[in-house]
Amino acid sequence: MLTQNTGRRTAQALALTLALSLGASGAAYAKNPMVGGAPMYAQKTIVENAVNSKDHTTLVAAVKAAGLVDTLNGLGPFTVFAPTNAAFAKLPPGTVESLVQPQNKATLTKILTYHVVPGVYTAKDLMALAKKGGGQGVLTTVEGEPLAVEVQGKKVLVTDQKGNTATVTIPNVMQSNGVIHVINAVLMP
């Protein structure tokens, strides 16, 4: 068992390295939805799936730089709002490159954990939360600060503390340790 586990960790590290050199993406709500050109398997963890998404290479690199791989491979459960590469590209030039530097690990960790909520919240759950709150629901992130959740038609919107709003573009990508919702903007605590 130790050999299998060690082999699995090595395979995960290699997959993460490959994803960092290639790029990553988002998912849909189906048995094995496609995200970033790769099927997302419900029996795999958040990290095991994310490393295969071409639309999420920046996010995977940031998770690695922040030292959060083991956490997001853990039991969870977690709800992750996963910004795409295009979402990270909207940040001011040099922001991502600066954040992944070792001296900025605390800031990067704060930003990334602001995209994670303990528990599993499907799109249906998020819509119900917003409805219960009279049009806006609030989630407390792993980072400790709140995210606002709203619904416009059939779209789920997530707003950060600075007033920036991201739209869930691919909801309900189920994982063995939670759910991913692909979003089109980076949230800031």
Side-chain angles (χ1 to χ4, degrees):
M1 187 67 147
L2 182 59
T3 304
Q4 276 185 333
N5 195 17
T6 303
R8 192 177 117 203
R9 291 231 180 253
T10 302
Q12 289 171 350
L14 289 172
L16 181 60
T17 302
L18 178 61
L20 293 175
S21 66
L22 297 176
S25 172
Y29 193 24
K31 186 173 180 181
N32 293 321
M34 297 294 287
V35 176
M40 300 289 114
Y41 298 101
Q43 69 272 21
K44 291 188 175 188
T45 68
I46 291 164
V47 173
E48 289 171 332
N49 275 317
V51 297
N52 295 313
S53 169
K54 288 183 256 166
D55 293 337
H56 291 94
T57 53
T58 304
L59 178 61
V60 170
V63 166
K64 182 180 179 188
L68 295 173
V69 171
D70 287 342
T71 300
L72 292 176
N73 255 340
L75 293 177
F78 305 108
T79 297
V80 176
F81 295 99
T84 60
N85 294 343
F88 280 102
K90 293 178 189 177
L91 294 173
T95 300
V96 174
E97 294 78 8
S98 174
L99 285 171
V100 296
Q101 296 301 312
Q103 65 271 23
N104 296 323
K105 184 177 179 180
T107 301
L108 179 61
T109 300
K110 182 178 174 93
I111 292 168
L112 292 175
T113 57
Y114 190 61
H115 289 78
V116 181
V117 175
V120 174
Y121 291 90
T122 65
K124 184 177 178 180
D125 296 331
L126 296 172
M127 290 177 170
L129 181 67
K131 184 177 180 180
K132 182 179 176 183
Q136 187 177 68
V138 177
L139 296 168
T140 302
T141 66
V142 169
E143 184 270 337
E145 294 186 45
L147 282 175
V149 178
E150 299 176 60
V151 177
Q152 287 184 356
K154 292 187 178 194
K155 292 184 179 185
V156 175
L157 307 174
V158 184
T159 304
D160 65 24
Q161 288 294 289
K162 299 191 183 313
N164 302 309
T165 299
T167 301
V168 173
T169 58
I170 303 174
N172 303 324
V173 184
M174 304 310 293
Q175 315 290 292
S176 65
N177 61 344
V179 62
I180 293 174
H181 300 291
V182 177
I183 57 174
N184 66 355
V186 177
L187 303 166
M188 295 292 186

